Structure formats: C-alpha cells, structure tokens
Amino acid sequence: MGEVEGQVRSEQLDAEREARRRAALAQIRQYPDTVLRMQAHDVEAGDESVAQLVERMGRLMQEARGVGLAAPQVGVLRRVLVYQTVEDAPVTALVNPRLTRASDERESADEGCLSLGSASVIVPVERALSVTVEATSPEGEALTIEADGLEARVIQHELDHLDGVLIVDRTTPEERREALAQLRPQPILGPLA
Ligand code: ZN
C-alpha cells in the first residue's frame, strides 16, 4: 500500500485495478456537485436500508482506493460514513456519528479527497490529533470510538462531509486557490480497456 493522504491512497496500480478505481470514482460525486455542500440528515432507528448503503459505500471506497467515504459523496444525504485506515482490517461504519471530544493538540498534514479529483488535489489541513466519536453501528448498537493519528484524521474528514465541508474550506486561501485551479474537468471514465 502507498502513502495515505487524508481520504486517498497514493500508489501505483496495475491496469485492472486502475480501471476499477476509475469506474468507482465515476460513481462518487465530484466537486462542484451541490450535494457535497448540503447537510446530511440523521438516520432513523431501525432503518434497514442502511446496511445496503454501508455495503455499497464500503465497496466503492475500496475500489476507489480511498480510506474513507461519507454518504453525501454517493448522493445520499444521510449521516453515514465508512472508513478503513488499515488496508486489510474490516471496514468501520458509523451511523449518526457525533464528535464528543477533540484534543486541543492539533496537527497539519496533507489530505486528498475522492470528491476532489482523487489524488490530483492535496492540501494541508489542520485537525485534532485525537477524537472521541459516539455513533451507532448499521445494526443499531451504540459505539464509542476513541481514535488518534490517521484514524482520527479520516473520521474528522468524513464528519466534515456530513456537514457539507470540504478540505478546500479548511486550508489557507492560497492553497485553496491553487487547489481549485487544478480542478479542471477531468475525464473520469476514460478508455477502460
Ligand atoms: Zn473527502
């Protein structure tokens, strides 16, 4: 596995995996899609459609070579996120996540985003080093996640997506200008063969 930058792994893929990555990215909403700017709504208790949504999001995240994905990125305005910061670990899915603690200690590190040209836009983002999040599992069990390092960073990135916030909002005006200038329309679905 290559280096992880925020939501995106940077690495070289073989042709088949690269084709799958592009096909997955084509199903992920891209900036400036307005859904990425909207507030997601709480999932109601007992909603069984969440399991299917989580399954689809986990698959798209892995095929897109991301380490996290939030429901608005697949056009669904519900408070659901998935992440997988260790490549072969199970995917963690959080429903109605709430940040209940963030460390005062913060750190800046480079992040990319599957909705911002995948690996083409990388900006430094300052985040809390450790966080506590309360959520429910897709099956409705209460979860408390205490995370630090990359896991804490990815959770904060995905929580932002649930509130319509993107990494370009969390960086300096200069970085933001430069990043958005790189976001020319890109042929996401190029020749797949
Ligand atoms: Zn993102």
Side-chain angles (χ1 to χ4, degrees), residues 97-164:
R98 282 187 311 119
L99 189 72
T100 56
R101 183 193 61 89
S103 63
D104 291 334
E105 207 179 334
R106 297 168 70 82
E107 187 178 60
S108 187
D110 284 346
E111 292 190 19
C113 178
L114 293 175
S115 293
L116 283 159
S118 188
S120 67
V121 171
I122 302 286
V123 295
V125 180
E126 190 185 294
R127 305 273 190 198
L129 271 184
S130 73
V131 294
T132 304
V133 174
E134 292 186 9
T136 56
S137 72
E139 296 77 32
E141 299 160 290
L143 299 174
T144 301
I145 308 273
E146 294 193 3
D148 56 18
L150 177 64
E151 186 181 10
R153 177 167 294 275
V154 172
I155 289 172
Q156 290 171 86
H157 180 119
E158 306 314 329
L159 285 172
D160 272 353
H161 275 301
L162 302 183
D163 295 324

Side-chain angles (χ1 to χ4, degrees), residues 5-11 13 18 21-22 24-26 28-31 61 63-67 73 111-123 157 167 182-183 186 188:
E5 285 169 323
Q7 202 176 28
V8 180
R9 296 180 201 279
S10 67
E11 62 195 340
L13 294 176
E18 178 59 21
R21 187 181 73 90
R22 284 171 175 268
L25 280 175
I28 293 173
R29 300 299 184 99
Q30 295 297 315
Y31 180 91
M61 170 185 72
E63 289 183 353
R65 308 302 294 156
V67 293
Q73 294 181 277
E111 292 190 19
C113 178
L114 293 175
S115 293
L116 283 159
S118 188
S120 67
V121 171
I122 302 286
V123 295
H157 180 119
I167 53 175
Q182 287 170 39
L183 272 184
Q186 290 177 19
I188 301 262

Side-chain angles (χ1 to χ4, degrees), residues 37 42 74 79 99 188:
R37 291 313 204 168
D42 275 336
V74 294
R79 301 190 78 82
L99 189 72
I188 301 262

Side-chain angles (χ1 to χ4, degrees), residues 41-47 49-50 53 78-80 95-96 136:
H41 311 292
D42 275 336
V43 174
E44 285 178 36
D47 183 339
S49 67
V50 167
L53 174 64
R78 297 161 90 198
R79 301 190 78 82
V80 176
V95 176
N96 299 338
T136 56

